[in-house]
Amino acid sequence: MKVLYLIIGIVLAPFGITVIYVNEYLGRKQEDLRRRGFKDVNLFCPYLVGPRPWAGPVLIIAGLVFLIFYFLR
């Protein structure tokens, strides 16, 4: 179980950082396309209105929690 905590922590924390950077990039790209005159631009997902700013930090915190569980047990 301890190895599983380590693997999950190592995967979730960098993935959360990646999600933050991707959200920022897509937000800038979407605004750029809107300034150029494109209407109803949604680069994120057809069901979402825009980026989810809580997704990246939640993944980072979850990864750190799993790493803490790994080192405390």
Side-chain angles (χ1 to χ4, degrees):
M1 195 67 177
K2 194 171 180 181
V3 174
L4 183 65
Y5 288 154
L6 178 65
I7 293 170
I8 292 173
I10 289 175
V11 169
L12 284 181
F15 186 68
I17 294 169
T18 304
V19 166
I20 289 173
Y21 284 118
V22 168
N23 278 344
E24 288 178 11
Y25 172 75
L26 289 177
R28 284 188 307 231
K29 190 69 165 173
Q30 186 168 318
E31 287 301 318
D32 183 42
L33 289 173
R34 284 188 181 149
R35 269 189 264 121
R36 290 183 184 181
F38 291 99
K39 302 289 182 194
D40 297 327
V41 176
N42 188 7
L43 299 176
F44 293 98
C45 179
Y47 304 112
L48 298 175
V49 191
R52 291 178 284 184
W54 50 266
V58 166
L59 289 172
I60 293 170
I61 291 169
L64 292 176
V65 167
F66 277 110
L67 289 174
I68 288 171
F69 283 159
Y70 171 76
F71 287 113
L72 290 181
R73 287 188 167 214

